[in-house]
Amino acid sequence: MAQEDGDVNQRYWAQIEDDDAIPTTSASENSTRRFDEAADDRFEQTVATELYVPSFKKPEALEISLDPIVVQTIQLHQFKRFVSDPANDGTQADLPSLRKAPKMSARLPELTKRDAHELTRKGCAALGAQVGFQDADAEALEILTDVTKEKLEELCEKLKVFHERRLLNRESAFPSAVQQLLSSVGLQSPLDLRDFYERRVRSYRDRLLADCQDLTNEKR
């Protein structure tokens, strides 16, 4: 899933070399304490906008991990392809289990556009593999990454506007800026996100796991 020397190189997402990865920095042990201290900080008034914005100390590193269920689903797809391969001479493989997911770390506050782009690209690649894609054209993956980036920026901009309106005591029918944002994209409640996750991530993994177990029993 990377492009090297001008050629499209199709590779499975998990096989991206460490050279492609985001520079990592271990999380500071003081991050939690710093966030606790930040909660006590007062709001500072910005003269230009007459808005109050929170003042807090940023952590040295932010740990970002893939969802363990997504990782297991990807491994189950690999397992199913291996067991179903006619070229398989009966070699046994262990059924993937739920394990701790790999981490991707982005340095803060020096999070660059390149870092954000790489994190988004890896996320898109992982989600593509989660639904069964074994490889992807590098150009197609870049398009998905750009579309995702634009959508995330749009959502963040909306959330900023909704939050600023609340700080200016503008009337709103929503209890929070986040819920107003969800409504703007067609979601009536945060529970809709939970239902989506249960249906498209957890239940999908469960069905795939059952299929792999059936295949394993047939091969015995």
Side-chain angles (χ1 to χ4, degrees):
M1 286 201 172
Q3 191 167 1
E4 299 176 353
D5 299 330
D7 297 327
V8 174
N9 182 19
Q10 293 181 336
R11 289 182 294 166
Y12 190 71
W13 76 275
Q15 296 174 338
I16 296 177
E17 286 88 347
D18 293 337
D19 291 342
D20 295 332
I22 305 235
T24 59
T25 304
S26 59
S28 171
E29 295 178 356
N30 297 325
S31 294
T32 302
R33 178 178 60 81
R34 290 177 178 178
F35 273 121
D36 291 339
E37 294 173 352
D40 297 331
D41 289 345
R42 288 188 172 185
F43 287 97
E44 297 178 349
Q45 186 174 15
T46 304
V47 177
T49 60
E50 296 185 355
L51 296 179
Y52 290 93
V53 295
S55 175
F56 61 92
K57 297 179 181 179
K58 295 182 179 180
E60 294 180 1
L62 173 67
E63 293 290 339
I64 301 177
S65 300
L66 291 173
D67 186 340
I69 294 181
V70 171
V71 174
Q72 185 188 18
T73 303
I74 295 170
Q75 294 170 341
L76 287 170
H77 279 299
Q78 292 176 315
F79 176 87
K80 187 175 182 180
R81 283 191 289 265
F82 174 78
V83 174
S84 304
D85 189 352
N88 183 10
D89 57 0
T91 303
Q92 298 295 322
D94 295 331
L95 195 64
S97 59
L98 189 63
R99 299 177 181 177
K100 187 176 181 180
K103 291 184 178 181
M104 298 185 295
S105 298
R107 291 180 297 182
L108 290 178
E110 299 83 16
L111 182 63
T112 67
K113 289 184 178 181
R114 179 183 180 278
D115 292 337
H117 180 85
E118 287 298 314
L119 284 170
T120 305
R121 182 177 68 88
K122 288 179 180 293
C124 290
L127 292 179
Q130 186 254 348
V131 297
F133 288 97
Q134 185 174 2
D135 48 36
D137 183 89
E139 185 176 350
L141 182 56
E142 285 300 318
I143 293 175
L144 288 174
T145 301
D146 290 340
V147 170
T148 302
K149 168 181 169 292
E150 291 178 3
K151 189 62 178 179
L152 290 174
E153 289 177 345
E154 176 187 341
L155 293 175
C156 289
E157 184 62 30
K158 282 185 176 181
L159 183 60
K160 177 184 176 183
V161 171
F162 295 152
H163 179 64
E164 289 178 347
R165 287 176 178 175
R166 297 178 69 84
L167 293 177
L168 291 172
N169 295 323
R170 301 283 181 84
E171 292 186 3
S172 174
F174 301 92
S176 69
V178 172
Q179 193 156 345
Q180 186 174 0
L181 175 67
L182 294 177
S183 178
S184 71
V185 295
L187 299 176
Q188 299 304 315
S189 165
L191 295 178
D192 291 344
L193 293 175
R194 184 201 63 182
D195 294 341
F196 177 86
Y197 180 84
E198 290 291 335
R199 183 178 68 256
R200 297 292 297 273
V201 179
R202 188 181 295 276
S203 295
Y204 179 74
R205 185 279 311 269
D206 292 343
R207 293 194 300 270
L208 185 58
L209 178 60
D211 290 343
C212 290
Q213 289 172 336
D214 291 341
L215 279 174
T216 300
N217 294 332
E218 291 175 3
K219 294 292 183 179
R220 290 178 179 175

